[in-house]
Amino acid sequence: MDQYEIFKKNINELIGIDLNLYKEKQMLRRITSLMRRNGFSDFIEYYNKLKVDKELLDQFVNYLTINVSEFFRNISQWKVLEEDILPNLIKSANKKSLSVWSSACSTGEEAYSLAMLFTKFYNLDKIKILATDIDVSALNKAREGVYDEKALKNVPKEFVVKFFKKNKNQYRIKDEIKKTVDFRKIDLLKDPFPQNIDLILCRNVMIYFTNDAKDLLYKKFYNSLSDYGVLFVGSTEQILLPEKYNLKPIKTFFYTKIK
């Protein structure tokens, strides 16, 4: 067994993340780069340090989980969500409020984007969004809700004025929006999913997983959706053969259950 195979086994035992479910070449390249940047030349030496250095381990998990996020990422898709998907979903579900899940929320931009968008359809007290990620440090940043000016480039001006408080070059999400989002830790590959969800966002995550992992996740997302629920995926993540998972496209990047 080579060093990297041993490293993967040890990491799974240490933090419960199975690196075999991530694309091998991509993950090996990323980890090797991080390892060398920290001055380590082999995986055994690096792992032994990860075991005893919490700060280094937190850095590893943060790097592993690829926290790239922004408000209203791929703005044209959010327009489709606002103008086509949500009105039909609200009508079909016929509920006082929708159950919504941002399944890989990173530092919170996606979840807060949802909360702001939903104010066009519901009163604030009716908006409840579950936002989850595997990275605890990213979740802590999300709960803090402080972003630099550059992060707000896609946020409609009306939302910037209404839902952010500026302090020098930083913008803090106002408490009224924060209260609509419940941030929790969930490992998509291992943990049970919430049930009866009307809108699930899983965007820019699947590209890092193997086909076996994708297969598992699409099945879990199907079971997590309500009867009229919609799965919203990333701009490079259209599902090949969605009918294999009893899903059908309703718009590009949006899927619902086959009934």
Side-chain angles (χ1 to χ4, degrees), residues 91-253:
K91 185 178 177 182
S92 298
N94 193 26
K95 295 179 178 177
K96 289 181 179 177
S97 64
L98 296 179
S99 53
V100 185
W101 178 25
S102 170
S103 69
C105 68
S106 186
T107 47
E109 291 92 332
E110 180 179 271
Y112 289 134
S113 296
L114 280 168
M116 289 185 280
L117 177 60
F118 268 68
T119 62
K120 292 190 172 187
F121 299 89
Y122 293 103
N123 291 332
L124 274 164
D125 63 347
K126 294 286 188 279
I127 301 170
K128 293 287 179 288
I129 292 160
L130 173 63
T132 67
D133 203 273
I134 194 174
D135 186 345
V136 173
S137 64
L139 290 170
N140 288 336
K141 288 179 184 175
R143 291 186 186 101
E144 190 180 0
V146 177
Y147 304 93
D148 61 30
E149 192 167 10
K150 187 173 68 175
L152 275 65
K153 66 180 188 290
N154 287 330
V155 180
K157 189 174 180 181
E158 62 181 293
F159 289 161
V160 175
V161 172
K162 194 172 181 182
F163 297 125
F164 289 85
K165 187 173 183 179
K166 186 177 181 182
N167 182 16
K168 296 181 181 176
N169 290 324
Q170 292 190 312
Y171 289 77
R172 180 182 292 275
I173 292 275
K174 290 185 179 177
D175 286 347
E176 61 197 271
I177 286 293
K178 275 191 186 181
K179 287 176 184 175
T180 67
V181 184
D182 177 16
F183 290 104
R184 297 185 209 166
K185 181 183 177 185
I186 284 185
D187 181 338
L188 295 178
L189 294 166
K190 288 190 171 183
D191 293 333
F193 282 8
Q195 296 298 298
N196 205 32
I197 304 295
D198 298 309
L199 176 65
I200 299 173
L201 281 74
C202 184
R203 307 176 72 228
N204 311 297
V205 177
M206 293 292 193
I207 52 174
Y208 302 109
F209 290 135
T210 64
N211 287 333
D212 285 346
K214 289 178 186 177
D215 199 54
L216 168 70
L217 290 176
Y218 288 138
K219 289 172 182 174
K220 289 177 79 173
F221 281 127
Y222 170 85
N223 289 324
S224 184
L225 286 169
S226 66
D227 289 343
Y228 298 96
V230 173
L231 173 63
F232 179 13
V233 303
S235 58
T236 59
E237 298 174 317
Q238 286 177 272
I239 304 173
L240 296 175
L241 302 174
E243 62 274 9
K244 177 182 176 184
Y245 309 104
N246 289 313
L247 295 169
K248 64 178 181 181
I250 47 175
K251 290 279 183 181
T252 308
F253 313 117

Side-chain angles (χ1 to χ4, degrees), residues 29-78:
R29 186 173 64 247
R30 287 178 61 81
I31 293 173
T32 302
S33 170
L34 181 64
M35 180 176 75
R36 288 176 178 161
R37 196 189 310 163
N38 281 286
F40 297 94
S41 57
D42 67 66
F43 287 104
I44 293 172
E45 181 190 13
Y46 185 43
Y47 173 72
N48 287 335
K49 188 64 173 175
L50 288 174
K51 280 195 302 183
V52 297
D53 188 329
K54 185 180 183 304
E55 192 173 318
L56 196 67
L57 184 62
D58 286 345
Q59 180 205 48
F60 174 77
V61 173
N62 188 46
Y63 194 69
L64 191 72
T65 51
I66 312 155
N67 289 312
V68 177
S69 186
E70 61 188 65
F71 289 98
F72 296 97
R73 187 173 185 174
N74 307 116
I75 190 69
S76 61
Q77 294 166 27
W78 285 85

